[in-house]
Amino acid sequence: MNKLSVLFLMFFLIKSIIFSYEYNFNKYKFEVYYLIKGQMKKNKERPNFGWRILKTFPLSVKEYTFTSQYYDYNSTEITELANKINENLKESRQKNAIHIADEIFRYIQNNISDREIIKEIKDNPHKIFFSYRQVLKEQKACDVEKCRLAITLFRYFTIPARMVYINNHYAVEYFIMPLKGKGDWYLMDFYNNENIESENTIPVYWHPLDCRELLNEMWTNNCYVNMLEVKDILLNPDEQEA
């Protein structure tokens, strides 16, 4: 047997050994939670005017105007509430996202009382929280539930909005596109609207909100991992160093 034949024989032998080896994995069902891409920043002073026209927003922002499971604005309840909000504004102000935002905040603060809950991990953490329909029926809500109602209303009025996590509670960020210049996100905080101890906002973390609530994404594929390790990490605001 020549050297070439020996090499071929060794190659096929090694190949058969590698591919015949059975990998044993413990498979666990889990859900994927995505973070909203955010940055540490101060809440800027708002402009006097904001557009309510979809085409004026950057492509990356339009996503936050979509209807979804948690922000389904195609309902009678939201339409009726939006009409009430519009009735409180002059016709000229109804086109301005700034005045719409203020009316949304005013309605929730004046009509929805606080509801205390215990945030704990359960089989289905989403059952812990009211939908916006339940909020309107009960006239009370926790921070997450107030945010759900506010975001649904914002998106109904074609104003991009999303949920953020700040100082151990949830708040709303809404996007204002001014007449001139670039748009930006502004904070709406129902928990402490007078004096926010820290003006820095961070993305919503995984619990108790899933990808459908954060990014309007739907996954049906099964995923498997060998090991799961969860850590809370606060990154330095310096992007390069982080």
Side-chain angles (χ1 to χ4, degrees):
M1 184 178 294
N2 56 35
K3 291 184 180 180
L4 186 60
S5 301
V6 172
L7 289 175
F8 271 110
L9 182 60
M10 290 179 64
F11 172 78
F12 284 111
L13 181 60
I14 294 171
K15 183 179 178 182
S16 61
I17 292 173
I18 292 174
F19 285 93
S20 64
Y21 182 78
E22 294 184 358
Y23 291 93
N24 293 320
F25 293 108
N26 292 324
K27 294 185 178 181
Y28 301 92
K29 184 179 179 181
F30 73 101
E31 293 185 354
V32 176
Y33 293 88
Y34 269 65
L35 295 178
I36 294 176
K37 184 180 179 182
Q39 60 181 349
M40 304 294 281
K41 64 180 182 180
K42 289 188 175 181
N43 206 33
K44 293 182 179 179
E45 183 178 350
R46 292 186 312 175
N48 295 323
F49 180 86
W51 289 104
R52 285 183 49 208
I53 301 174
L54 186 62
K55 66 180 181 180
T56 62
F57 303 123
L59 183 61
S60 60
V61 171
K62 291 180 180 179
E63 172 179 15
Y64 299 102
T65 61
F66 296 163
T67 184
S68 68
Q69 175 182 349
Y70 299 97
Y71 312 125
D72 179 16
Y73 50 71
N74 296 316
S75 67
T76 304
E77 298 95 330
I78 291 298
T79 301
E80 291 176 353
L81 181 52
N83 289 335
K84 288 182 182 179
I85 289 173
N86 267 331
E87 288 173 2
N88 293 328
L89 295 172
K90 296 179 181 179
E91 186 175 353
S92 59
R93 292 192 167 192
Q94 293 176 6
K95 299 179 180 179
N96 189 340
I98 297 295
H99 296 299
I100 293 291
D102 290 343
E103 283 300 318
I104 290 174
F105 179 81
R106 191 175 294 113
Y107 174 85
I108 294 176
Q109 284 294 93
N110 293 340
N111 295 278
I112 308 298
S113 60
D114 293 334
R115 184 177 83 92
E116 294 295 331
I117 61 166
I118 299 174
K119 297 177 183 177
E120 58 183 11
I121 299 176
K122 295 185 177 181
D123 292 340
N124 187 349
H126 310 291
K127 291 182 179 179
I128 300 173
F129 299 98
F130 286 172
S131 66
Y132 72 77
R133 290 182 174 88
Q134 290 173 287
V135 170
L136 293 175
K137 182 180 179 180
E138 302 288 340
Q139 292 291 290
K140 56 185 178 181
C142 67
D143 53 349
V144 170
E145 296 155 351
K146 288 181 180 180
C147 291
R148 284 181 174 176
L149 176 58
I151 292 170
T152 305
L153 287 168
F154 271 117
R155 296 188 181 189
Y156 176 90
F157 285 109
T158 320
I159 303 171
R162 63 190 183 188
M163 208 178 298
V164 295
Y165 192 72
I166 177 172
N167 295 338
N168 298 318
H169 68 277
Y170 293 91
V172 174
E173 272 192 334
Y174 59 99
F175 191 86
I176 293 297
M177 183 58 124
L179 289 170
K180 295 182 180 179
K182 296 181 179 180
D184 206 346
W185 294 96
Y186 294 86
L187 186 68
M188 179 176 288
D189 190 354
F190 299 103
Y191 185 82
N192 183 5
N193 59 82
E194 294 181 357
N195 296 307
I196 301 175
E197 295 179 2
S198 172
E199 293 182 328
N200 292 327
T201 62
I202 61 176
V204 177
Y205 63 70
W206 70 270
H207 174 70
L209 313 173
D210 69 7
C211 54
R212 289 168 294 182
E213 181 150 9
L214 297 183
L215 299 177
N216 195 32
E217 296 286 350
M218 303 292 286
W219 284 282
T220 57
N221 298 332
N222 293 325
C223 299
Y224 299 97
V225 293
N226 293 332
M227 182 182 299
L228 177 65
E229 184 178 1
V230 179
K231 289 184 178 180
D232 291 331
I233 301 174
L234 293 177
L235 297 178
N236 190 294
D238 185 289
E239 183 176 352
Q240 184 175 359
E241 184 176 343

